[in-house]
Amino acid sequence: MRVTHRMMAESVSQNLRLNLYRLDRLSNQLASGKVFTKPSQNPVGVSRSMLYKTALNRNEQYRLNTNEARGWLSTTHDALMKGLEVLQRLRELSVAAANGTYSDTERSSIASEAVQLKEHLLALANTQHNELYIFGGHRTLEPPYAYNEEGQLEYRGDLGHRVQEVGTFQQVVMNLNGQEAFGGVEVFEAVEQICQALLEDDSETLSGEVLEKIDRGIDLFLQRLADVGARQLRVETMYDTLFEQSIYLKQMLSELEDIDYAETITEFQMQENAYRAALATAARMMQPSLVDYLS
Amino acid sequence: MSIFSSLQIGKLALRAQYKGMEVSGQNVANANTPGYSRQRVNLVAVVPGISPGVNLAPGRGVKVAGVERIHSEFYRTQLMNTASHLSYWIMRQETYRGVEVIFMEPGEYGLNQYLGDFFDAWSELSSSAESTAIRTGLLERAETFTRAVQDTYLRLTELRFDLRDEIESRVQQVNQLAKEIAVINDKILFSHALKQTSNELLDQLDLALEELSGLIDIRVFRKENGAVDVFAGGSLLVQNQNTYAFDVEMALDGTVHIVNHHGTAVEPQSGRLFGLLQGVNETIPEIQAQIDQLVSSLVEEVNRLHRGGYNLYNETGINFFKEIEDNGVPPSLQFALNEELAGDPSRIAAASEGGQPGNGLQALEISRLRSAPVMNEGKVSMIDYYRGLVASIGVKGQESTRMVEAFTKAETQLREEHLAVAGVSLDEEVMNMIQFQHAWHAAARFISYVDYMIGTLIDELGR
């Protein structure tokens, strides 16, 4: 093949251009820390990276949601625990009052304790979490338990369930409405009856019907506590799962997008050597011609 | 054959060797001229006349038969084809680069992020339907999202306008080159009439043709007399000294066509213009149509669910986004929040039933749209649809990058092959010059010897 000077010049500059392009690509990778920054550099990779990022963001939202559910459930749990203590104390009081022989003073102090307990239970039923009434179903902005004009306690909430999305197609109901937690006003009626019976010293009622009602209340609370506990456990598990998933996703994303520094730097150095070699060759090759050797 | 005619041989030799020197000089001078093909002087010995009775017919010297232009028509044609393909793919690569820059994927400012954020906001609202802060947050995210979509769409339109402007100027360039070719044709015809050849004109012609082939695919018909007829994109562009200029026409739907002087469409198959036309008429409108599709589905689905929900004022049947109207304005540019809602976050219908401020079930339904298969006749979710769009842009961008690399390699190789034939080698020329110089010297010496011999004849014999 005939070789001309123009040809050599063109191929030298083409080679230099190619070397420089590779150097540039590697230095971009080193600077950004990413293997690709544009869809055309790796369409499949970019598509997967978008998928992982969406999943990560979604996971983050699920974690926030899970946290919210955690808060609600633990507030509900606390309220029920305290409610349980109140009912148990009331039961003790009514049993004691039914069997024992107390003086009038003692009896009236028992009665006033019972009234206090009743108010405490009412306050528990109107427990707030982040300024929302947790036992009102979907009616969370006003106290679910209040007295009407006739002095009757009534439940103003609804039967709503607050559903929290804690994973794709995974949801947790994070509240108990008044019907579920207190049987509407059932528990309060029992308590009211105890207070009345204590005030009126009606030991027959205290030992009979009322005791049964209060026991039913205690059972209800225990049942609900078990229910809430189970949900809490599920939420905790979900929280951990989401956390692990996030770590896993980040790892996948990093494996996909991030450069291996050791490898890229080595490659960069090799490329740099190649570029230097190309330059040196070019410098030697471009200089001489026959003219140099003629006098 | 007399001794005097020997002087003639010397004279012819001097002239021929000098011509060789001149041609080498021309070659060296144009060693770096683009498009220059090296030339070679063709020397032939003069055939002596036939003289009866003369046994040893002497030679009559040397003559210059012509100055030959050394090049390869095959590589030239190949180079032009390759140039057409290469510039087509370069244009396509540029288009997709432009599109990629607009989409900004993968990243935090791409639509993927905003779309995800939008659904996340609904998920968040579903658990805290009473919260004004979260409602306001949702409105803000939705608004950011609509703006991002509009912005993406408009920037694509701008890119399309840029390409359209370039078509205009490139067609002007085609017409200009056509004129240049016609002028060269004219000169070639003139010199042909004078029975002369001009290698330099032919080089210029090839250069102009190569430049033209980068813009549009051409077919060249070379004639005996050296002039060419050129068809570009299937339409006659140059015939002898005449040009038939192309023009650009824009249809009502924004598509652009190149037309010839008859008004019929020129249909390029490669070249930069083909890439430009494809970008304006297909690539960008198709991408925009996909965004429109996404927006239409999103608006329809979100509105449908939102209308079924109740807001904090216990109202129902209100749209979340402004309804997309069929009024010729692209859906993406109509993409905005419903004005009734814009200033008042309490109007967001998060509840599945009225009078339940804590009910976020409808919001939950909306957040679930994210993975609901509502696109492509119920096969693909919106996020996947968008991901598919970005991936297809990537795949096509990657394809064009690869094709550019492949055709660049092919072009480099062809250019080398062509230079191997037509390029000037300085070493070779220096050798030629030395040879011509020696021959010229010898011829001069020959003349002086003959002169001496004649002198001897005249001076010594006449005495």
Side-chain angles (χ1 to χ4, degrees):
Chain A
M1 184 176 170
R2 193 171 167 272
V3 177
T4 67
H5 287 84
R6 188 78 198 279
M7 211 168 123
M8 272 165 59
E10 292 232 348
S11 78
V12 161
S13 64
Q14 182 70 26
N15 284 336
L16 288 180
R17 206 159 39 223
L18 200 67
N19 271 308
L20 209 54
Y21 168 74
R22 289 192 188 132
L23 260 186
D24 179 56
R25 199 188 56 199
L26 286 170
S27 85
N28 272 341
Q29 287 187 357
L30 283 171
S32 68
K34 303 280 177 213
V35 181
F36 50 80
T37 48
K38 282 186 285 191
S40 61
Q41 287 164 341
N42 185 346
V44 179
V46 167
S47 172
R48 276 170 58 200
S49 139
M50 282 165 72
L51 186 71
Y52 293 153
K53 279 180 184 157
T54 309
L56 261 176
N57 285 342
R58 195 184 307 183
N59 249 19
E60 194 47 43
Q61 186 60 50
Y62 287 153
R63 279 219 288 161
L64 289 175
N65 290 359
T66 315
N67 239 350
E68 180 79 10
R70 255 175 160 180
W72 273 71
L73 286 170
S74 86
T75 311
T76 309
H77 190 267
D78 288 354
L80 285 179
M81 281 301 278
K82 284 180 193 147
L84 188 64
E85 280 168 24
V86 167
L87 290 190
Q88 275 165 346
R89 179 68 188 149
L90 277 170
R91 189 181 194 282
E92 281 168 24
L93 288 179
S94 51
V95 169
N99 298 340
T101 45
Y102 287 103
S103 68
D104 284 354
T105 338
E106 282 164 332
R107 206 177 298 283
S108 83
S109 82
I110 287 174
S112 72
E113 188 186 346
V115 172
Q116 287 299 318
L117 286 170
K118 187 184 79 177
E119 292 305 317
H120 184 43
L121 191 64
L122 183 60
L124 285 174
N126 286 336
T127 300
Q128 283 177 292
H129 176 73
N130 288 341
E131 294 179 10
L132 299 175
Y133 293 93
I134 60 173
F135 291 112
H138 288 318
R139 301 221 170 102
T140 48
L141 296 175
E142 275 144 38
Y145 286 95
Y147 292 101
N148 62 14
E149 281 155 15
E150 284 109 50
Q152 286 279 311
L153 189 68
E154 55 180 25
Y155 178 55
R156 293 176 177 173
D158 56 27
L159 303 181
H161 283 150
R162 293 178 78 90
V163 178
Q164 186 64 279
E165 202 180 16
V166 293
T168 316
F169 298 115
Q170 295 242 32
Q171 35 184 287
V172 159
V173 174
M174 64 181 191
N175 70 325
L176 290 176
N177 57 42
Q179 190 61 42
E180 291 167 330
F182 302 98
V185 287
E186 214 175 278
V187 174
F188 294 97
E189 276 169 7
V191 172
E192 181 64 36
Q193 234 173 331
I194 292 175
C195 291
Q196 284 300 323
L198 281 173
L199 285 172
E200 289 161 16
D201 193 12
D202 181 354
S203 56
E204 203 173 307
T205 317
L206 280 177
S207 58
E209 173 191 357
V210 166
L211 211 54
E212 217 172 276
K213 277 190 182 171
I214 205 101
D215 278 346
R216 246 188 298 166
I218 288 174
D219 277 352
L220 180 67
F221 276 24
L222 284 172
Q223 213 180 321
R224 292 305 177 216
L225 272 170
D227 179 16
V228 168
R231 285 191 222 167
Q232 277 181 309
L233 190 65
R234 183 158 163 244
V235 165
E236 286 305 322
T237 318
M238 206 57 224
Y239 191 82
D240 290 348
T241 312
L242 288 170
F243 188 68
E244 271 168 34
Q245 270 177 4
S246 285
I247 290 176
Y248 179 65
L249 281 168
K250 276 180 195 156
Q251 207 178 332
M252 302 267 283
L253 193 61
S254 161
E255 272 169 30
L256 184 71
E257 281 192 342
D258 295 348
I259 56 165
D260 177 341
Y261 272 95
E263 197 185 305
T264 314
I265 288 171
T266 317
E267 213 180 315
F268 184 82
Q269 275 167 348
M270 276 161 61
Q271 196 54 52
E272 199 187 355
N273 286 342
Y275 182 55
R276 278 181 201 284
L279 279 176
T281 319
R284 301 256 309 255
M285 218 164 70
M286 298 308 291
Q287 275 172 354
S289 89
L290 187 56
V291 185
D292 299 335
Y293 298 93
L294 296 171
S295 51
Chain B
M1 182 76 211
S2 74
I3 192 163
F4 291 104
S5 56
S6 292
L7 278 175
Q8 191 65 18
I9 294 178
K11 189 184 95 186
L12 286 175
L14 279 180
R15 194 185 283 168
Q17 303 309 326
Y18 188 70
K19 187 71 191 170
M21 201 69 168
E22 260 184 356
V23 169
S24 278
Q26 173 80 345
N27 283 342
V28 171
N30 287 297
N32 290 323
T33 308
Y36 181 79
S37 306
R38 73 185 163 114
Q39 300 179 12
R40 188 170 60 192
V41 65
N42 281 340
L43 299 180
V44 288
V46 177
V47 181
I50 295 162
S51 331
V54 179
N55 287 340
L56 290 170
R60 284 280 179 84
V62 64
K63 79 171 181 193
V64 178
V67 178
E68 192 188 351
R69 172 171 173 256
I70 297 179
H71 78 133
S72 157
E73 199 60 50
F74 173 72
Y75 289 136
R76 274 269 175 229
T77 315
Q78 293 286 308
L79 261 176
M80 287 197 294
N81 283 341
T82 314
S84 289
H85 287 295
L86 178 59
S87 23
Y88 162 68
W89 285 108
I90 287 177
M91 187 57 232
R92 222 168 136 73
Q93 188 187 30
E94 282 174 21
T95 309
Y96 278 106
R97 281 208 180 135
V99 172
E100 273 181 346
V101 168
I102 291 170
F103 274 91
M104 290 188 285
E105 300 287 3
E108 278 151 44
Y109 305 104
L111 292 183
N112 191 49
Q113 178 83 28
Y114 292 125
L115 188 61
D117 280 355
F118 174 70
F119 286 123
D120 283 345
W122 282 105
S123 176
E124 194 176 9
L125 179 66
S126 75
S127 66
S128 314
E130 308 89 343
S131 163
T132 312
I134 286 171
R135 281 169 177 267
T136 312
L138 167 63
L139 282 188
E140 269 164 21
R141 283 204 235 179
E143 188 139 358
T144 316
F145 177 45
T146 58
R147 286 221 196 92
V149 169
Q150 291 203 7
D151 185 54
T152 305
Y153 195 91
L154 286 173
R155 288 179 66 193
L156 284 168
T157 307
E158 268 170 37
L159 180 65
R160 196 173 174 215
F161 285 161
D162 287 350
L163 297 184
R164 216 167 59 187
D165 290 348
E166 192 181 330
I167 291 178
E168 301 255 0
S169 64
R170 293 294 178 187
V171 167
Q172 291 310 313
Q173 208 180 338
V174 166
N175 291 338
Q176 189 56 40
L177 280 166
K179 266 184 212 150
E180 273 174 41
I181 292 167
V183 168
I184 297 171
N185 266 345
D186 190 37
K187 286 183 185 164
I188 288 174
L189 288 173
F190 182 65
S191 63
H192 182 76
L194 298 180
K195 303 235 178 323
Q196 286 179 351
T197 53
S198 171
N199 293 333
E200 284 74 12
L201 275 177
L202 292 174
D203 283 344
Q204 276 181 25
L205 183 64
D206 280 346
L207 203 61
L209 286 171
E210 202 180 310
E211 201 180 329
L212 183 62
S213 68
L215 294 172
I216 188 165
D217 55 311
I218 56 172
R219 270 197 303 154
V220 179
F221 296 95
R222 284 176 202 272
K223 290 182 267 193
E224 281 292 288
N225 54 26
V228 291
D229 289 350
V230 180
F231 284 76
S235 275
L236 182 63
L237 181 67
V238 184
Q239 191 176 32
N240 295 328
Q241 305 98 315
N242 305 317
T243 59
Y244 302 94
F246 289 169
D247 207 351
V248 180
E249 264 182 14
M250 208 173 73
L252 279 175
D253 61 354
T255 55
V256 171
H257 301 280
I258 302 175
V259 290
N260 62 17
H261 71 292
H262 290 307
T264 37
V266 175
E267 275 158 16
Q269 301 300 317
S270 64
R272 191 172 175 89
L273 273 168
F274 183 44
L276 283 163
L277 285 172
Q278 234 181 21
V280 172
N281 296 341
E282 290 164 35
T283 312
I284 297 179
E286 277 163 17
I287 293 170
Q288 286 184 320
Q290 291 197 54
I291 299 179
D292 279 342
Q293 195 114 46
L294 184 67
V295 166
S296 300
S297 294
L298 184 77
V299 169
E300 195 187 316
E301 295 296 322
V302 170
N303 276 352
R304 183 173 58 76
L305 289 174
H306 195 263
R307 279 198 304 269
Y310 293 82
N311 62 23
L312 290 182
Y313 303 124
N314 222 351
E315 299 165 327
T316 184
I318 297 177
N319 280 331
F320 185 77
F321 290 116
K322 212 186 276 176
E323 197 99 49
I324 304 283
E325 286 167 43
D326 191 14
N327 56 4
V329 180
S332 301
L333 297 182
Q334 297 186 40
F335 190 35
L337 290 180
N338 183 1
E339 277 143 9
E340 289 177 63
L341 220 90
D344 188 357
S346 303
R347 286 201 124 96
I348 298 173
S352 58
E353 274 173 64
Q356 301 183 336
N359 181 337
L361 290 174
Q362 206 65 17
L364 186 64
E365 283 303 310
I366 294 177
S367 90
R368 281 193 184 138
L369 273 179
R370 113 167 63 214
S371 33
V374 294
M375 306 288 302
N376 291 357
E377 290 149 13
K379 288 193 202 83
V380 185
S381 73
M382 285 187 268
I383 283 190
D384 283 346
Y385 183 83
Y386 176 72
R387 236 160 32 86
L389 171 60
V390 173
S392 82
I393 292 169
V395 167
K396 283 175 189 153
Q398 191 184 38
E399 183 201 14
S400 56
T401 305
R402 282 185 184 150
M403 293 307 270
V404 167
E405 276 170 23
F407 276 107
T408 308
K409 264 183 207 151
E411 206 227 6
T412 310
Q413 193 146 7
L414 279 168
R415 203 167 285 284
E416 277 203 5
E417 298 284 353
H418 186 248
L419 278 176
V421 177
V424 175
S425 158
L426 292 176
D427 295 343
E428 223 173 71
E429 298 306 329
V430 171
M431 296 255 293
N432 284 343
M433 284 193 288
I434 292 168
Q435 280 176 355
F436 288 125
Q437 187 200 14
H438 283 318
W440 188 86
H441 252 281
R445 185 54 52 94
F446 172 75
I447 290 174
S448 85
Y449 282 142
V450 172
D451 177 47
Y452 185 73
M453 284 159 76
I454 293 172
T456 307
L457 264 182
I458 294 171
D459 294 347
E460 303 295 327
L461 292 179
R463 190 173 291 193

